[in-house]
Amino acid sequence: MEQELKSLAEDLKAKFNGSETKLKAIEEKIAEIVANAEKSLTDKEAEIKKAFEAEITSIKERANELDALVAKKAKEESEKAPKTLGEALSAQVKEVGGGNYEKGVKEIELALKSANGSFSIPLNLKAVGDMTTSGNLTGDPVRTYNTRQGLVPFQKVNMRDLMPTVISSTGTFVTYRETGSEGSISTQTEGSSKSQIDYDLTEIVTVNSYIAGFARFSKQLMKNLPFLEGTLSRMLLRDFYKAENSAFFTTVSGAATGSGTTSSTTSDIEAIIDLIGNQLAANFNPSYALVNPKQLAKLMKETFTTGYYAGAGAVTLTPTGMNIFGVPVVPASFVTDNYVLIADADYLERVEVEGVNVVFSYEDATNFTTNKVTARIECQEAVNTLRVDSLIYKNLAPIS
């Protein structure tokens, strides 16, 4: 601004050349304007400087307050923390010297000289106590993890163990069952025609289905539970066999048409003897009598209440169960209580197209993009009853 005003003065001087009075008045006016402008600028700068200095002072005050607060907190924590003997002694020496360690040492030296070498300093040490988990441990104690898991148990007997297995290369398995006959084989009378006989066969089609299931879990869970893969395989097998037992038992018990009997006996053992006798009379060879474990317990107790004893012949006890009429009584939890299934295992088959298998897949569905794993178990199979009259399934005493 000053330069512009000087330039203006030079221009006016050129225009008013010769008029000294007017020119001087103009120069004085310009000088006044310049002075006022400089004063205004100086006042503004002073105001800004003053505000800036005030802000700096406020910041310093707040910083001092924060430093004091931090120092106070540190002092409180230091006082709470247990002191070593050296720390406690140093603190007391400083206190004697009014906060100055060197001064405290000199004061103590003077006191020792004047007190014949004796001076007492109180020490504030934390009392030593017993260490406990709750008082001296921060965080969790070290843990030991069991290598076993408390899993639901397997069923003790599986239906597949009570019959032979045959392999089928396709999903359809055909058996031809004898269903009738006309004529007979008889003694020939001399000179007469021999007797003629014929037989009827019926195609029995067994369609093999999949018994299957799957579980899906995250890879993170597999990493967090290192035992998961092996343990999950066991759990899948357990539940697969339960499903298989239920399916097979339902098929076999539902198909049974073997000759039963109607009896008013109130003894379950006698009822089973009657049913075994019927099957033997039909020329079948009973392989086992399948009952619920609770039913087996009732049968065993009945040997005591009715006077049966080991070695009596028809009924014998074993460490794991009993035999009736030479037929082992097998306990299986999937059998309905108070019922018995008597089977000739020569006429039962488990038809297998694809064996039971457990597979883990990282590519199933969206597993690859969601970090999931699918565990699948399956088996393509079915139970085939070659003859339904080789099976007896009845409610026990009274037989119905």
Side-chain angles (χ1 to χ4, degrees):
M1 178 183 285
E2 182 178 359
Q3 186 64 32
E4 292 175 353
L5 290 173
K6 287 182 179 179
S7 176
L8 177 61
E10 292 296 329
D11 290 343
L12 291 174
K13 185 175 181 181
K15 289 180 181 180
F16 291 96
N17 190 19
S19 180
E20 294 295 333
T21 305
K22 290 183 179 180
L23 183 60
K24 186 175 181 180
I26 290 172
E27 288 177 346
E28 290 176 353
K29 188 65 176 176
I30 290 173
E32 181 182 352
I33 292 172
V34 171
N36 290 336
E38 289 179 346
K39 182 176 182 303
S40 176
L41 182 61
T42 302
D43 292 344
K44 188 66 176 176
E45 289 177 347
E47 183 180 344
I48 293 172
K49 182 179 180 182
K50 183 178 180 180
F52 181 73
E53 289 175 347
E55 184 64 24
I56 292 296
T57 301
S58 176
I59 292 172
K60 288 182 178 179
E61 290 175 352
R62 290 199 296 272
N64 291 335
E65 291 176 358
L66 182 59
D67 288 343
L69 183 61
V70 171
K72 181 181 178 182
K73 186 67 176 176
K75 183 179 179 182
E76 291 175 353
E77 292 296 328
S78 176
E79 290 174 352
K80 290 180 182 178
K83 293 184 175 65
T84 64
L85 179 61
E87 289 172 339
L89 184 59
S90 177
Q92 290 300 321
V93 170
K94 287 178 68 176
E95 186 174 335
V96 170
N100 187 293
Y101 181 81
E102 288 75 10
K103 185 179 178 182
V105 171
K106 291 179 180 179
E107 292 286 341
I108 293 172
E109 288 176 349
L110 292 173
L112 288 172
K113 290 178 181 179
S114 62
N116 297 321
S118 176
F119 186 81
S120 84
I121 300 177
L123 298 178
N124 183 21
L125 291 173
K126 180 182 177 182
V128 177
D130 295 337
M131 295 176 64
T132 63
T133 300
S134 59
N136 298 84
L137 175 63
T138 300
D140 295 328
V142 176
R143 300 178 182 181
T144 301
Y145 288 94
N146 197 341
T147 56
R148 303 172 60 204
Q149 296 81 44
L151 305 181
V152 174
F154 282 71
Q155 289 180 329
K156 301 299 183 289
V157 174
N158 294 320
M159 280 290 287
R160 62 165 54 207
D161 299 327
L162 301 175
M163 64 186 79
T165 296
V166 296
I167 304 300
S168 175
S169 58
T170 66
T172 303
F173 190 76
V174 176
T175 301
Y176 288 93
R177 181 185 297 161
E178 182 182 353
T179 54
S181 175
E182 292 79 32
S184 65
I185 294 177
S186 57
T187 302
Q188 179 197 17
T189 302
E190 185 178 358
S192 65
S193 298
K194 298 175 184 178
S195 58
Q196 182 179 0
I197 190 170
D198 64 43
Y199 301 96
D200 301 323
L201 297 173
T202 302
E203 179 187 64
I204 306 299
V205 179
T206 300
V207 178
N208 292 267
S209 301
Y210 276 100
I211 299 176
F214 73 91
R216 184 176 288 122
F217 55 93
S218 69
K219 288 177 68 177
Q220 289 88 338
L221 180 63
M222 184 171 65
K223 298 296 184 183
N224 291 331
L225 297 177
F227 61 82
L228 180 63
E229 195 168 352
T231 300
L232 185 59
S233 297
R234 290 162 53 202
M235 293 189 288
L236 287 171
L237 278 170
R238 177 200 63 208
D239 291 337
F240 168 83
Y241 287 133
K242 284 184 178 180
E244 182 187 75
N245 290 336
S246 177
F248 284 5
F249 182 76
T250 299
T251 299
V252 172
S253 61
T257 62
S259 177
T261 184
T262 300
S263 172
S264 59
T265 179
T266 58
S267 167
D268 288 345
I269 291 179
E270 291 179 8
I272 291 176
I273 291 174
D274 287 339
L275 295 176
I276 292 173
N278 286 352
Q279 196 170 42
L280 290 169
N283 298 312
F284 291 110
N285 182 32
S287 303
Y288 49 80
L290 208 58
V291 298
N292 188 279
K294 293 187 291 184
Q295 179 62 44
L296 176 60
K298 288 189 286 185
L299 293 172
M300 295 180 72
K301 289 193 296 183
E302 191 177 323
T303 64
F304 301 107
T305 58
T306 57
Y308 297 123
Y309 56 92
V315 180
T316 57
L317 300 181
T318 69
T320 57
M322 65 190 306
N323 293 330
I324 298 177
F325 211 159
V327 177
V329 181
V330 178
S333 59
F334 49 81
V335 180
T336 305
D337 192 21
N338 206 47
Y339 277 76
V340 62
L341 172 67
I342 299 175
D344 185 341
D346 289 338
Y347 294 91
L348 275 180
E349 294 175 336
R350 186 181 73 89
V351 182
E352 179 181 285
V353 179
E354 181 181 330
V356 60
N357 62 92
V358 179
V359 177
F360 289 81
S361 172
Y362 294 84
E363 284 75 36
D364 176 51
T366 60
N367 284 3
F368 186 79
T369 57
T370 58
N371 266 352
K372 299 287 181 64
V373 183
T374 299
R376 183 207 67 197
I377 186 169
E378 66 180 18
C379 180
Q380 189 178 6
E381 60 181 347
V383 61
N384 179 38
T385 54
L386 279 74
R387 294 205 62 84
V388 294
D389 52 350
S390 69
L391 305 167
I392 297 177
Y393 183 61
K394 291 293 181 181
N395 189 6
L396 290 174
I399 297 173
S400 60

